[in-house]
Amino acid sequence: MSPAPVIIGIDGRSGAGKTTLAVELAAALREHRKVSLFHLEDIYPGWNGLNAGIERYVSTVLPPLTRGEDAEWVCWDWEQRYDGDTRLTAAADVVIVEGVGACSEAARAFLDVVVWVESADDERKRRALDRDGEVFAGHWDEWAQQEEEWLAEDPVHNHAQVTVKNAASGSAPADVLHLLSHLPALEHVLAPERLAQHSHKLFAERLDVAADPARVFDALYADSPRAIWLDSSIAETHTGAPQADTPQRSRWSIMADDAGPHGAHVTHRPGITTVRAGSASATIESGFFRWLDGEWGTVPASDWASSAQGYSGDFTLGWLGYLGYELKHETGGRPAALAEDSAPDAELIFAARAVVFDHLEDCVWLLSLFPLAGDSPAHQDNDWARQARAAVNRSARHSAHKPRNPETLSAPVFSARDSEREYKAKIAQAQHQIAEGNTYEVCLTTTVRAQVPALKLWETYLRLRAQNPAPFAAYLRFGACEVASTSPERFIKIGSDGGLRAEPIKGTRRRSSDPAVDQKLREELASSGKDRAENIMIVDLLRNDLSHYAVPGSVKVPRLCAIESYATVHQMVSTIDAQLLPGASRSEAVAAAFPAGSMTGAPKISTMAILDELEVEPRGVYSGALGYFSLNGATDLSVVIRTLVARPDGDGGTELSIGIGGAITADSAPQEEYEEIRIKASGILGTLGSSFPSR
């Protein structure tokens, strides 16, 4: 008797390509372990024997294999049309069972993983007849009817951990193997495959070109369904070193999509993480931060240095995207009731190649992964590298990319979720909670929305970044959902060396075109006792958040209540630094601080519960976090504020939404707080030619 094997079931309608997938998958897995393969077509008792075949398979094949024993079973003689000889499927480390019914309800109790294979109907019939000849042609309709009746009672595809759209590209086996190694049930048995996927080094090619990032993005990613630009747009408003009031935040811009080798796309909804790679997708029952812990920072930083060729950026390829506010249910908050068409709680892409702009040295880096055992991409002048070089060089020969004239677009008319009266009433309720001792500070938010014809947010983002440059500006495209952010606020940064940094913003004043008035507004913010109190409360909260995974005594506050000035506002900003404990989980350190205290208030857990009652609906992407999780263990995430989100409205148009809010304390004046949210929304609304809604 052998140890209990891992059993992988591969199911789907006839002709979907299950047999080829199973054979090639078995061949790949045999490199490191013993593998057995069982085909259900050998056990069906005739053309009308689907259900009987499933019963035979479940009763005679699966039980002994599950116990680590050889399985003896009686095959069907298709030529003689009766039972044939007795055959044996040997016990093995991994057993693959494939065929229609392989993952039926009775079988699933024995299986570790269910794989469902899909293919177009006409393609399935062609494949089936090519494989089995004209013998099957006379029975196709009869067999297909059995499949439909069975699947109506037992929708196997709803229970699949891995689904593959088996096109003719030949990529399905590699895509499925890639995802199988990431499933918790298989992560140990497929450890060699998982290690091989991470056995890559970083190649970095420097281009000494003063490139225009907008033109480069447009050239390389205009047609990408999913693409991200983490855009330190404030860097373009000056030359030389980053501005003194935005330390270490404006040097790098990053752009990438999920195309090419190793690319992947991840979405997370409560309890379910879905990973898509090529033609396959895997559904993992897991919390988001637990999934992230298994994926992020698996390659030691030392493995990257030898091939980086002078590149000093903290981003060395990896995951990029957003973490929505509703992930709070994993960090102490209550779960929200989400509509089926709502944005995912988190959405990321894995980029195995990227374009990175160094604004300090005025150059561009092309980053890519290559296998440890392979040749460096320096000797592989691949298509992507050639396209990227050409796009960078072309962009430098043109003037800066200019967005479309805003007058050519109709100004959207926004409506407010909360009228002025309603928002002020919620301020009063928040202050009541403070008076009752349930919280010290409540970061109350609301939303303004507009319905517009189908819209691509790209040109709008170019105008936003031109008029409201920010160190954490960003443009994200996830299919029909787009995000345009001009955030000035860092949520958390973890360097590859374990350095931790948070930079909360609390305290805002408008800018004035009159220099004297503008200076007075800045000084007023700097001397405001109320704003300082708000800021310091959040600093204390973040000191506590960082301390959970920090070296004792390493938490410092090198900058308290400093004033930073942006295109439309002055802000009060503090900096909290710490050092990550050696061996500590980086994803758990992020989770301990999530969501940003500047967007909840203090104490965090009880205040989030109060906000759930006051705000009524989920915040979505707004007030979550946005940025990257690099393969060397580094991350840099902004707070999603000053952000425009565009999503389909279900009627062929687009819904635009802007989240806005402010910190409510016992000393808050309702009228001043309401004016603050108008100021915060003004940068985006003004760029769109819109006004703050009157109600």
Side-chain angles (χ1 to χ4, degrees):
M1 181 185 296
S2 302
V6 167
I7 303 183
I8 301 170
I10 301 179
D11 210 332
R13 293 177 174 85
S14 291
K18 302 180 297 300
T19 302
T20 301
L21 173 62
V23 169
E24 294 189 19
L25 190 61
L29 292 174
R30 286 190 178 113
E31 183 178 353
H32 298 289
R33 63 196 62 77
K34 184 179 179 182
V35 179
S36 283
L37 182 57
F38 175 79
H39 304 284
L40 266 75
E41 67 178 20
D42 294 331
I43 205 170
Y44 303 127
W47 293 110
N48 63 349
L50 174 58
N51 289 324
I54 292 173
E55 290 177 6
R56 288 186 174 197
Y57 151 70
V58 171
S59 62
T60 64
V61 177
L62 287 177
L65 290 175
T66 304
R67 297 191 298 267
E69 302 170 359
D70 296 345
E72 290 188 356
W73 47 277
V74 177
C75 75
W76 179 255
D77 189 324
W78 287 92
E79 292 185 2
Q80 300 299 322
R81 300 186 182 181
Y82 53 74
D83 285 345
D85 57 358
T86 298
R87 296 185 183 178
L88 181 119
T89 298
D93 302 313
V94 175
V95 175
I96 299 174
V97 292
E98 71 83 18
V100 181
C103 302
S104 57
E105 183 177 10
R108 288 196 291 274
F110 298 94
L111 304 179
D112 294 286
V113 175
V114 172
V115 178
W116 177 259
V117 186
E118 295 180 346
S119 187
D121 288 347
D122 57 346
E123 179 66 15
R124 289 194 301 105
K125 186 171 184 178
R126 184 193 64 76
R127 284 176 177 163
L129 298 185
D130 285 349
R131 182 192 66 200
D132 295 327
E134 290 304 312
V135 175
F136 195 2
H139 299 280
W140 175 265
D141 292 338
E142 177 187 6
W143 189 263
Q145 180 64 27
Q146 290 180 85
E147 290 181 356
E148 292 306 315
E149 291 174 355
W150 164 61
L151 289 170
E153 296 292 327
D154 183 9
V156 174
H157 54 280
N158 291 339
H159 301 275
Q161 285 96 359
V162 176
T163 299
V164 57
K165 296 185 182 299
N166 198 7
S169 65
S171 66
D175 293 338
V176 171
L177 182 59
H178 173 76
L179 293 182
L180 286 175
S181 68
H182 291 260
L183 296 178
L186 300 185
E187 60 184 358
H188 296 299
V189 72
L190 299 189
E193 285 77 14
R194 187 173 174 84
L195 179 62
Q197 291 170 13
H198 290 287
S199 296
H200 291 76
K201 283 192 175 183
L202 175 72
F203 176 76
E205 177 184 354
R206 176 171 172 146
L207 304 176
D208 286 303
V209 177
D212 173 15
R215 285 191 178 275
V216 174
F217 188 92
D218 208 17
L220 291 179
Y221 305 113
D223 297 324
S224 299
R226 291 167 295 276
I228 291 175
W229 179 12
L230 303 180
D231 172 24
S232 292
S233 60
I234 202 166
E236 296 184 11
T237 66
H238 61 86
T239 57
Q243 294 177 0
D245 61 357
T246 55
Q248 303 178 38
R249 283 178 284 166
S250 300
R251 179 172 180 178
W252 305 98
S253 291
I254 301 161
M255 55 182 65
D257 65 8
D258 60 348
H262 314 295
H265 171 219
V266 172
T267 56
H268 179 84
R269 297 183 185 276
I272 300 292
T273 300
T274 302
V275 185
R276 298 172 179 85
S279 62
S281 64
T283 301
I284 303 168
E285 295 186 3
S286 168
F288 174 79
F289 288 106
R290 180 181 176 187
W291 170 82
L292 182 64
D293 195 45
E295 293 294 328
W296 174 38
T298 54
V299 179
S302 59
D303 284 354
W304 298 94
S306 62
S307 58
Q309 301 182 11
Y311 174 69
S312 61
D314 253 346
F315 177 71
T316 58
L317 301 173
W319 300 95
L320 306 95
Y322 74 82
L323 283 56
Y325 176 77
E326 305 315 321
L327 279 178
K328 67 183 174 64
H329 73 84
E330 294 189 16
T331 62
R334 299 174 182 171
L338 300 176
E340 289 186 7
D341 61 349
S342 62
D345 282 355
E347 191 158 10
L348 306 168
I349 62 171
F350 182 84
R353 56 199 192 190
V355 181
V356 178
F357 297 79
D358 183 342
H359 301 295
L360 179 61
E361 298 192 5
D362 212 12
C363 67
V364 179
W365 292 90
L366 306 184
L367 307 185
S368 57
L369 295 181
F370 69 96
L372 288 174
D375 291 332
S376 164
H379 306 294
Q380 302 173 6
D381 197 23
N382 59 69
D383 289 343
W384 178 82
R386 288 195 295 272
Q387 292 169 7
R389 289 188 206 105
V392 168
N393 289 322
R394 280 197 307 269
S395 78
R397 294 195 294 267
H398 295 82
S399 59
H401 192 76
K402 298 295 184 182
R404 187 183 306 155
N405 188 332
E407 278 72 33
T408 64
L409 300 174
S410 298
V413 178
F414 283 81
S415 61
R417 186 184 74 198
D418 299 297
S419 67
E420 180 175 354
R421 179 184 60 80
E422 290 167 338
Y423 191 73
K424 289 178 178 177
K426 291 181 178 181
I427 292 173
Q429 294 176 59
Q431 289 179 316
H432 173 73
Q433 294 288 345
I434 294 170
E436 291 294 308
N438 298 324
T439 180
Y440 305 112
E441 180 179 6
V442 179
C443 295
L444 181 65
T445 76
T446 188
T447 305
V448 297
R449 293 187 174 90
Q451 306 297 127
V452 299
L455 171 74
K456 296 296 185 182
L457 203 59
W458 170 241
E459 291 289 344
T460 301
Y461 175 67
L462 294 180
R463 297 201 304 275
L464 282 173
R465 73 185 295 270
Q467 297 185 32
N468 300 287
F472 295 106
Y475 170 75
L476 286 69
R477 183 194 305 132
F478 289 108
C481 178
E482 296 175 280
V483 178
S485 181
T486 55
S487 175
E489 182 173 0
R490 170 177 278 148
F491 164 46
I492 191 170
K493 175 182 172 67
I494 305 178
S496 58
D497 61 356
L500 292 165
R501 169 163 286 187
E503 295 184 279
I505 291 176
K506 269 287 161 269
T508 305
R509 293 293 187 276
R510 66 178 177 86
R511 296 297 305 269
S512 172
S513 58
D514 184 323
V517 173
D518 192 60
Q519 181 62 25
K520 183 177 180 180
L521 288 166
R522 182 181 172 112
E523 292 171 356
E524 176 188 303
L525 177 59
S527 61
S528 168
K530 171 186 172 296
D531 289 298
R532 289 182 66 86
E534 290 178 8
N535 196 292
I536 290 169
M537 276 191 273
I538 300 305
V539 168
D540 284 342
L541 187 156
L542 279 164
R543 288 174 66 245
N544 180 67
D545 286 348
L546 297 188
S547 70
H548 292 300
Y549 292 92
V551 172
S554 69
V555 181
K556 309 291 184 185
V557 183
R559 196 170 62 131
L560 184 65
C561 298
I563 306 301
E564 294 181 358
S565 298
Y566 295 91
T568 60
V569 293
H570 300 294
Q571 304 270 209
M572 184 178 284
V573 187
S574 294
T575 300
I576 306 100
D577 286 339
Q579 183 64 36
L580 189 71
L581 278 166
S585 164
R586 293 175 180 237
S587 66
E588 289 181 13
V590 173
F594 188 89
S598 59
M599 299 307 298
T600 61
K604 184 182 289 187
I605 303 300
S606 61
T607 305
M608 286 193 294
I610 292 168
L611 288 166
D612 289 341
E613 299 299 324
L614 293 176
E615 296 182 356
V616 181
E617 66 181 23
R619 295 183 182 180
V621 180
Y622 168 63
S623 74
L626 184 161
Y628 67 75
F629 301 95
S630 174
L631 285 173
N632 63 358
T635 184
D636 203 356
L637 301 170
S638 66
V639 180
V640 183
I641 56 175
R642 319 295 156 78
T643 296
L644 180 65
V645 178
R647 289 181 54 78
D649 64 4
D651 294 320
T654 300
E655 180 190 80
L656 303 177
S657 64
I658 306 168
I660 39 177
I664 310 304
T665 65
D667 295 332
S668 290
Q671 186 59 40
E672 292 178 4
E673 296 295 343
Y674 186 70
E675 289 303 317
E676 181 172 328
I677 67 170
R678 291 170 60 92
I679 292 169
K680 289 177 176 177
S682 64
I684 296 176
L685 291 175
T687 300
L688 294 170
S690 303
S691 302
F692 196 89
S694 57
R695 69 166 298 277

